[in-house]
Amino acid sequence: MSRIATIEIDGKKYELPIIEGSENELAIDIKKLRGLTGGITTIDPGYKNTGSCESAITFLDGEKGILRYRGYSIEDLAEKANFLEVAFLLIFGELPSVDELEKFHEDIKAQAHVDEDVKKIIDGFPKAAHPMGVLSSLTSALVAFNPASVNVDSEEEMYNAIVRILGKFPVLTAWAYRKQAGFPLEYGDNSLGYVDNFLKMMFKKPAAEYESNQIVVDALNKLLILHADHEQNCSTSTVRIVGSSNAGLFVSLSAGINALWGPLHGGANQAVIEMLEAIKEDGGDTKKYMAKAKDKSDPFRLMGFGHRVYKNFDPRAKIIKVAADEVLEALGVEDPILEIAKGLEKEALEDSYFVDRKLYPNVDFYSGIIYRALGIPTEMFTPMFALGRLPGWIAQWREMRLRKEPIGRPRQVYIGETYRKFISANKR
Ligand code: ACO
């Protein structure tokens, strides 16, 4: 039986349908609200109570700490799948067969290069440029070299644009790092797996052989999978809303990269390590920083803590915490900031400020510690997040296009001046 919500405004009742998701989530469908009421709208800054779309890609239950891609639990995927399988699953809806995965990888490999002129653009950036800015600029610039990727309407055109960006994005990410590190901009080796090839592109030193390290490859696969999608977060909503104007895949992704950069979103992974380093330099006094985080007159927040949706625990953080211990041990790395992180977590989980506000470690709290152990420099943490989130952004963009969603254009409630007569400059 279909459910109805009734709202009453000035004594007049309006009925609105309630839609139900496959996990029994209920949402009042307000599409017809303005028409029915003669112009009344809703307001919800930060969209804390507003669904922007129906989506079949990712399910998360913030109260129970559940995260699933296309129905598969994040725990299973992080343990058993590789990143490219998960990318295929997110984008096309099903886990690939062996043949499908091989074709997908071959199609990506065929695109794993960029126009040599891209190097000239990279040369124009100062060495100190943050790699996220370089990455978003280069992703936009790719359109100039691949104009056919803009107007993609058919599934075939979408597929071509998708494998193109999945091939080129790791190159751009690695080169953003190599530029900063002063290494020559070189390619990897297409005989390697997607993640291993990326690592080679990042770390191959001139005049030295690159040696694959399975521990590093497995750890990065896991991290990328854990970051691959997270339904309608800030960057994904950005990708969908930019894409809704038919602006094209690459520029929509570029906008998503910029949204991810902020320290309240993907930039938190860099901010966490900087915070832990600062605590270490300050003598490891975690209590002092706990007090700062709770002090409302101090803008400091405990980075890597809290989440808009998870109000119990972030299942990704649980997996990453275990992985951090395993990876550091396997690589023989001892990192004093891991102990500081564990100490902070313990204190926060026993502190009523954090408990009452349901603030738990999020995906970014421990990820930076693993990235560091893998040899990835701090400024590259957020680009690594972007590399992981790429399939999710693509899947959400493709879903939006296939569902022919309308252009995103929110309403507002105007609170400025009412009509005023113009006064010429000499009379003001
Ligand atoms: N440290 C201290 N206090 C916090 C923190 C924190 N990390 N996070 C939230 N709070 C407090 C707020 O001050 C607020 O307190 P109040 O009710 O007394 O005013 C309350 O908890 C609720 O916080 P909001 O900011 O309203 O929660 P919101 O859902 O809007 O924000 C966010 C979520 C942005 C993630 C926030 O928790 C935060 O800034 N965390 C630190 C940054 C971070 O780790 N971001 C990564 C998120 S995961 C991701 O994007 C991949």
Side-chain angles (χ1 to χ4, degrees):
M1 199 185 68
S2 57
R3 301 192 204 198
I4 299 287
T6 307
I7 62 163
E8 191 173 323
I9 303 169
D10 296 338
K12 202 165 169 203
K13 290 188 176 165
Y14 304 93
E15 291 194 336
L16 296 167
I18 294 183
I19 61 163
E20 187 169 348
S22 49
E23 292 279 356
N24 311 114
E25 288 171 304
L26 301 178
I28 303 169
D29 178 352
I30 59 163
K31 282 200 281 294
K32 300 213 166 105
L33 183 68
R34 288 189 81 251
L36 286 172
T37 58
I40 294 179
T41 183
T42 56
I43 187 154
D44 183 19
Y47 312 115
K48 292 193 177 192
N49 291 280
T50 299
S52 60
C53 60
E54 290 174 67
S55 177
I57 300 170
T58 288
F59 171 69
L60 74 89
D61 181 327
E63 268 68 39
K64 295 193 186 127
I66 292 173
L67 173 61
R68 296 188 201 125
Y69 299 160
R70 302 280 190 185
Y72 295 98
S73 80
I74 194 65
E75 289 80 7
D76 268 355
L77 292 170
E79 186 64 35
K80 297 169 190 159
N82 71 42
F83 179 57
L84 219 48
E85 272 180 297
V86 171
F88 188 99
L89 169 72
L90 283 167
I91 298 168
F92 303 111
E94 296 296 337
L95 283 168
S97 66
V98 173
D99 288 349
E100 283 170 334
L101 186 59
E102 198 181 306
K103 178 178 184 315
F104 188 46
H105 196 185
E106 286 304 320
D107 292 342
I108 291 169
K109 283 194 265 189
Q111 295 295 335
H113 54 83
V114 293
D115 194 294
E116 277 294 293
D117 282 346
V118 169
K119 291 182 177 171
K120 293 186 195 151
I121 303 177
I122 296 180
D123 265 349
F125 283 101
K127 230 178 182 180
H130 194 285
M132 280 300 271
V134 176
L135 199 49
S136 77
S137 307
L138 295 179
T139 306
S140 269
L142 276 186
V143 178
F145 297 97
N146 304 270
S149 63
V150 177
N151 292 319
V152 284
D153 286 321
S154 70
E155 289 231 37
E156 191 190 342
E157 286 167 332
M158 282 193 206
Y159 181 82
N160 292 337
I162 289 167
V163 291
R164 208 169 258 145
I165 194 68
L166 284 169
K168 299 180 194 311
F169 196 76
V171 179
L172 300 182
T173 310
W175 284 6
Y177 162 65
R178 293 183 78 88
K179 159 81 186 178
Q180 209 177 43
F183 295 141
L185 306 182
E186 285 170 6
Y187 287 104
D189 176 353
N190 269 345
S191 69
L192 299 174
Y194 188 77
V195 170
D196 202 6
N197 186 29
F198 168 73
L199 285 163
K200 179 168 183 177
M201 282 193 282
M202 283 276 287
F203 293 125
K204 185 182 177 309
K205 300 265 165 46
E209 287 299 310
Y210 166 81
E211 275 184 41
S212 298
N213 179 336
Q214 202 53 42
I215 298 167
V216 176
V217 174
D218 291 347
L220 190 54
N221 252 303
K222 190 173 278 195
L223 281 171
L224 296 176
I225 290 169
L226 292 172
H227 286 88
D229 195 48
H230 213 235
E231 53 117 296
Q232 308 313 316
N233 54 81
C234 178
S235 57
T236 302
S237 300
T238 302
V239 170
R240 279 184 95 122
I241 204 160
V242 174
S244 76
S245 74
N246 288 2
L249 176 60
F250 298 172
V251 286
S252 305
L253 294 171
S254 170
I257 295 167
N258 287 322
L260 187 73
W261 193 357
L264 296 187
H265 189 18
N269 56 14
Q270 176 175 338
V272 169
I273 290 291
E274 286 166 354
M275 174 188 80
L276 295 172
E277 277 289 354
I279 297 174
K280 192 180 107 204
E281 294 303 311
D282 205 9
D285 186 357
T286 48
K287 297 224 164 21
K288 176 174 162 189
Y289 287 84
M290 288 286 288
K292 272 166 76 64
K294 294 191 283 184
D295 179 357
K296 291 289 167 199
S297 63
D298 188 328
F300 176 79
R301 281 190 165 198
L302 203 53
M303 299 313 289
F305 257 77
H307 196 274
R308 171 60 61 79
V309 184
Y310 292 121
K311 300 298 175 195
N312 184 336
F313 63 92
D314 182 337
R316 302 166 300 174
K318 267 195 169 179
I319 299 171
I320 290 185
K321 186 179 175 185
V322 175
D325 272 329
E326 288 170 358
V327 172
L328 264 62
E329 199 191 320
L331 295 174
V333 173
E334 275 182 32
D335 192 338
I337 67 165
L338 178 59
E339 289 317 308
I340 294 179
K342 284 183 177 171
L344 266 181
E345 180 187 352
K346 189 166 178 300
E347 279 174 46
L349 296 182
E350 288 166 0
D351 189 300
S352 60
Y353 174 95
F354 290 90
V355 174
D356 294 350
R357 289 170 180 77
K358 301 185 190 310
L359 301 171
Y360 296 87
N362 60 48
V363 67
D364 290 323
F365 195 63
Y366 287 103
S367 65
I369 294 174
I370 306 187
Y371 286 137
R372 246 158 83 110
L374 303 185
I376 293 168
T378 312
E379 281 207 338
M380 283 303 291
F381 292 179
T382 318
M384 299 306 296
F385 191 155
L387 182 69
R389 186 54 56 88
L390 188 66
W393 287 334
I394 293 171
Q396 301 272 351
W397 169 86
R398 180 174 176 272
E399 178 180 72
M400 185 261 312
R401 292 299 297 262
L402 290 177
R403 288 174 62 87
K404 301 200 184 318
E405 284 177 11
I407 186 167
R409 203 299 184 189
R411 290 272 170 176
Q412 64 165 20
V413 174
Y414 176 69
I415 56 165
E417 300 286 347
T418 54
Y419 174 74
R420 294 199 276 181
K421 205 166 178 319
F422 180 79
I423 301 161
S424 50
N426 59 353
K427 294 191 179 148
R428 273 175 231 154

